[in-house]
Structures are given as C-alpha cells and as structure tokens.
Amino acid sequence: MSEPRPSDRHDASESDDTFAEIVDEATQRDPDLAVIEAGSRTLRTVSGPVPGDEVPARPADPEVDKALRAVEQELAGRWGETKLEPSVSRIAALMDVLGEPQHAYPSIHITGTNGKTSTARMIEALLGAFELRTGRYTSPHVQSITERISLDGSPMDPERFIETYNDIKPYVEMVDAQQPYRLSFFEVLTGMAYAAFADAPVDVAVVEVGMGGSWDATNVIDSSVAVVTPISLDHTDRLGATPAEIAGEKSGIIKQDATVILAQQPVDAAQVMLKKAVEVDATVAREGMEFGVVSREIAVGGQLLTLRGLGGEYEEVFLPLYGAHQAHNAAVALAAVEAFFGIGAEQPGSLDIDTIRRAFASVRSPGRLEVVRSSPTVVLDAAHNPAGARATADGLSEAFGFSRLIGVVGASGDKDVRGLLEAFEPIFAEVVVTQNSTGRAMDADELAAVAVEVFGGDRVQVEPRLDDALEAAITLAEEEDEYAGAGVLVTGSVITVGEARLLLGRH
C-alpha cells in the first residue's frame, strides 16, 4: 500500500524575533547506524580491534545462534522499517494484551533528525552512574539486532532476546489476527523492549523514536521528559518538506506537563515545538538559553567540556567522542537527566560533578567518527544526509590532522546524494564510490555519475564491491611517502558503515 503522509501540519511561516537572536541554524548531528549481517574477507594490514567495543558478535553457541537467526528471519518477514502505515493502533493493541508494560517505569523519550542514539547513550550513562537501572531502546543497530535493547548499558544477551521474543510471540499473533495489517518489524521490537524493561525491571527507560513522533510505535509511553535533537531535512516523503512540518510530526512525543529539552533548532522548527509545549502545559528548556556548551577544547581521544546545565556549570568534563555536535549532544543529555531528577524546577543545586565526569568519560558511540584501524587511519561515520555529512566533515577536520583524506561512499537511493557529496567535497582528495549489499543501495555507477559532477572525473574511482572499495582507498592513502598522514573515511549510508565495520574486523 502507499505510505500516507501525516496530515497534521503546522504553519510556522512567521519568524520569532526572540528565537532569531538565540537559536542558531540546526547543529547537525551524527546519524544512526543500520542493521547489517555481512560476510567478510580479510583486508591487508588490518589492525586489531580497539578495546571496549560494545557491539556483540554472533553467539558462540551454535544452538543459540541458530535460534537467534530464526527470530531474525521471522522478524524480517514483517514490514521493514522503511514501510510505514502511520498509526499507533497496532502497538497500542499489543500493549493492551501485554498488560501495558510501558507504564511500569518512568521514561525519557528522544526524537529529532540526527544524534538521537548518541544522546540516548549519554543519557543512559548518566543515569547508570547515579545507580539507576536503565533500559535503552535505540535503532537501527550496527551488527547485531540485540543491540537495540540494552539493559544496564549492555546489549541484551542473545538468550534473553530469544526468550523475550518467544514470550510475546503468541500475543503478537493475536494482534496480527485482529488488525488490518500485521505488526511491523519495528513494532514487534518495540513491544519486546517495553516488555523486557518491565520484566527486568528497570528504574527508567531511555527510548529513541524510530521515525517522526506522533505516530511512531514508541509513542505509547507517557514520558515526563521529551528530548528533541536538532531537526533537519530527512525522510521528507513521510515527515514533511520543511523543518517546521517535520517538527510538527516530531512534537507528538511532548506529553501533558512534561519537560521538553530542546536542542538548537531552525527558527521555524523551534516555534512549532514551543507552540506544542504551550498547548500541553509543558516546560521548555532551550539550548543556548537555559543550558548549553560553555566551552570545549580538543583533547587526546575526545574533547574537554564545560557544560551549563539547568542547575549550574559542570567543568572539566571529558567526552571521548569527536566533533562539536557531540559536545552539543552532551549538553542536551545532561539537561535531560537534570530534568528527570527535578533539577532546576523542583529542587535547586546541581548534580554531583564527579559522577557526571565519570559518566561522560565512559560514553562510547560505535560508528560515530569511530577509528577502527591505523596505518593508515580508517574512520567510520554513517552520515547519510547533508546535515549529518557537514557535521562529520567539521568534526573530522577539527580532530584529525590528515594530510590527505580518501572517502569511501556508498549511499541509499532514496537520499539526497548530491547534497551528501557536496558536503564532503572540500575534505576529500579522492573518493571511491561503492554500494552496500542491500536492495536500497544506489548503484555504484549511478552514484559515480553524480560524484563526477561534484568532484570531477580525476578524483572519482568506482568499486562496486565494498571490500574492493576499502582496499582501493587504503592503497590510495598509502601510495606515496608524502602522504604519511593520510586517512580514509567510510560514510554515506548507515548500512555501508555497518558492513565496513565487519569487513574491518570490528566484531
């Protein structure tokens, strides 16, 4: 069936003078990673994995692996995440027969265009540092479907994932039989997450929307804190053609009397969010006014921040992630946790600084300007829209002193590919265009035609197979002594980055 567009659009054509003064253009955020299972061949001179990787490999036990693959196959037989019938009726029906598990714990709900998963990981780390048991639901995943549902900061173990699926499967089938359309892949996973969190039980759930807000499957929770990361153009066929229209859909997660943590936004998007907050008597904290980044310095392995939260300043906070966008994500995460604890509203004072420092120092965000090997340095970042690409380019230029940078780009056919390539053109000496293994991938030759228009023919190489593209890029980076400081950036699609991560030994 066709995918209906949301009909509830907000007209925000008039600018808000106050926000024109204090709200910058959207600070772009790094995007989420996608599901990928890929075979790999050994690339030459692959260095060993970096310690502390949070992405699990396939189960070592063959029987467990077989059972997990069976669950994955059943889920894959449902509507995928790119096919939508905008409604929460099916997930609401599932929650009803499961006994409303999503109401068994408080939650923090996160929407936006880019940066949701990184922000969710930071919120989770902060809450865990204050000895709260957490559940985190994010999407998509890097290499294992179990990453989507985390308990106490760790992906759900395969046995528990399988058990949770089997527990709710009879209820899923019951709802399927009663609805015009079966529950989708994402809806079933959402039901699993909410049931697992209630069963744990968790003290608080950190939940990232899949797409949009009001009709997203996650939006059956009643969160006291709603977080909105920067909004830019993506999924315009489903969410709207302007930031204001997209904001209208995403504002659906703002509930009665909630606190809204609003990252820097385009002015028209900020206006829509403020209007919705007024309608439901929500309290709004805005980046750049009530909270924000006071200062940041580049540090070895990340950056050193001073953050202004709702309860005061937090100095000398080390964040082991690169890019100004991650500093802004940190400010948003801190304000969200303060709001959850009532800081700045119900009680004065700030959170314990040593706990805050310890939490941020522990944050990892796989696939976000992630270094996966050296000699030459290979960095992964799954920017898949122009906004994310600009943030990646800025962060890479700031944190790495590459004398020459080779790009490996594989894009999805439904994205703004030209805008993506134009964002990277100033920093790529050459680009190797390729494609990933999914049906959504843009054909490498089609991508090359656009790349030639952006880069010129002498800077573009075509390698349809991703493993060949990685090999070619590494060769280009190594070919001359004068380029001893050369590097490789793999980007362009969430799926491409997931496959590259496996090919480069991160499993």
Side-chain angles (χ1 to χ4, degrees):
M1 62 168 291
S2 61
E3 296 168 346
R5 289 165 55 92
S7 59
D8 185 17
R9 300 296 190 213
H10 294 256
D11 183 5
S13 59
E14 296 183 4
S15 64
D16 185 312
D17 291 338
T18 301
F19 274 87
E21 294 175 4
I22 58 92
V23 180
D24 295 329
E25 289 296 320
T27 302
Q28 309 306 336
R29 299 301 197 257
D30 56 334
D32 299 319
L33 300 176
V35 49
I36 184 64
E37 281 280 340
S40 67
R41 70 177 190 179
T42 302
L43 298 175
R44 58 185 176 80
T45 65
V46 173
S47 59
V50 177
D53 191 11
E54 297 182 347
V55 180
R58 296 297 310 184
D61 186 327
E63 291 302 315
V64 175
D65 186 55
K66 180 180 179 181
L68 181 59
R69 289 186 186 278
V71 171
E72 291 169 329
Q73 186 174 5
E74 289 188 23
L75 288 170
R78 295 179 175 273
W79 273 2
E81 290 170 289
T82 60
K83 185 172 183 179
L84 305 170
E85 195 279 315
S87 168
V88 295
S89 61
R90 292 175 302 280
I91 188 66
L94 180 60
M95 292 297 98
D96 180 54
V97 297
L98 289 176
E100 306 294 346
Q102 78 278 19
H103 297 318
Y105 38 80
S107 57
I108 297 175
H109 206 179
I110 307 169
T111 191
T113 300
N114 292 321
K116 297 185 295 296
T117 298
S118 287
T119 302
R121 284 179 171 272
M122 294 179 194
I123 292 172
E124 174 189 49
L126 288 164
L127 292 168
F130 285 99
E131 300 183 352
L132 292 181
R133 188 166 201 201
T134 58
R136 173 172 54 85
Y137 180 53
T138 52
S139 61
H141 56 269
V142 183
Q143 290 166 202
S144 171
I145 195 171
T146 60
E147 298 162 34
R148 294 185 179 228
I149 306 173
S150 289
L151 295 170
D152 292 324
S154 297
M156 198 180 232
D157 65 64
E159 293 86 352
R160 190 166 188 172
F161 187 92
I162 296 163
E163 181 183 359
T164 301
Y165 176 77
N166 289 332
D167 284 346
I168 75 164
K169 182 178 177 180
Y171 301 97
V172 168
E173 293 173 344
M174 183 188 307
V175 173
D176 284 344
Q178 298 171 348
Q179 296 291 323
Y181 305 102
R182 297 171 69 215
L183 287 154
S184 71
F185 169 89
F186 186 74
E187 288 169 333
V188 175
L189 280 171
T190 302
M192 289 175 61
Y194 289 160
F197 296 161
D199 184 62
V202 301
D203 297 315
V204 55
V206 182
V207 178
E208 173 192 333
V209 303
M211 185 185 300
S214 63
W215 45 259
D216 186 74
T218 62
N219 202 31
V220 290
I221 53 175
D222 189 14
S223 298
S224 61
V225 178
V227 176
V228 186
T229 66
I231 291 171
S232 60
L233 300 181
D234 201 5
H235 301 297
T236 54
D237 56 329
R238 299 175 179 90
L239 302 180
T242 67
E245 288 182 338
I246 294 171
E249 176 55 42
K250 292 181 182 294
S251 69
I253 74 164
I254 301 174
K255 304 299 171 56
Q256 188 74 32
D257 299 321
T259 299
V260 183
I261 305 301
L262 193 62
Q264 291 178 355
Q265 305 288 348
V267 173
D268 55 348
Q271 289 176 321
V272 171
M273 290 290 173
L274 287 174
K275 180 180 178 182
K276 178 58 181 287
V278 170
E279 291 173 355
V280 297
D281 293 322
T283 301
V284 180
R286 298 155 291 184
E287 184 181 5
M289 292 192 71
E290 287 80 16
F291 69 93
V293 179
V294 176
S295 65
R296 53 185 294 270
E297 300 176 15
I298 304 304
V300 176
Q303 50 194 310
L304 193 64
L305 310 176
T306 296
L307 303 174
R308 186 176 77 252
L310 305 180
E313 287 196 1
Y314 300 80
E315 299 178 339
E316 298 183 353
V317 174
F318 176 69
L319 180 68
L321 301 175
Y322 301 108
H325 58 292
Q326 294 289 17
H328 289 278
N329 286 339
V332 170
L334 175 61
V337 172
E338 286 183 308
F340 180 78
F341 285 129
I343 300 295
E346 299 173 11
Q347 57 181 307
S350 57
L351 298 175
D352 178 70
I353 183 60
D354 290 333
T355 305
I356 295 298
R357 288 170 179 159
R358 185 171 66 253
F360 275 120
S362 72
V363 172
R364 301 291 182 270
S365 196
R368 281 83 174 172
L369 286 177
E370 179 186 20
V371 178
V372 293
R373 60 158 284 171
S374 58
S375 299
T377 300
V378 178
V379 182
L380 305 181
D381 193 283
H384 62 264
N385 55 41
R390 288 190 292 270
T392 296
D394 289 345
L396 198 74
S397 299
E398 176 187 74
F400 298 88
F402 293 128
S403 60
R404 171 182 168 89
L405 183 63
I406 310 300
V408 176
V409 179
S412 296
D414 58 349
K415 298 297 181 181
D416 180 1
V417 173
R418 179 178 295 276
L420 181 87
L421 294 172
E422 288 174 345
F424 285 122
E425 190 278 332
I427 67 169
F428 285 166
E430 297 182 60
V431 61
V432 182
V433 297
T434 187
Q435 63 191 74
N436 58 58
S437 64
T438 69
R440 295 179 58 203
M442 175 176 274
D443 178 78
D445 290 330
E446 293 181 17
L447 179 57
V450 181
V452 166
E453 294 178 1
V454 174
F455 290 87
D458 59 339
R459 295 167 63 192
V460 178
Q461 181 172 333
V462 185
E463 295 288 352
R465 285 173 55 110
L466 180 57
D467 50 3
D468 291 335
L470 293 170
E471 185 88 22
I474 290 170
T475 299
L476 288 170
E478 292 178 334
E479 65 183 1
E480 296 183 36
D481 289 341
E482 65 178 295
Y483 298 131
V488 175
L489 174 68
V490 184
T491 189
S493 164
V494 292
I495 300 168
T496 300
V497 164
E499 290 184 342
R501 202 172 190 277
L502 280 168
L503 288 166
L504 289 164
R506 298 305 302 268
H507 49 75

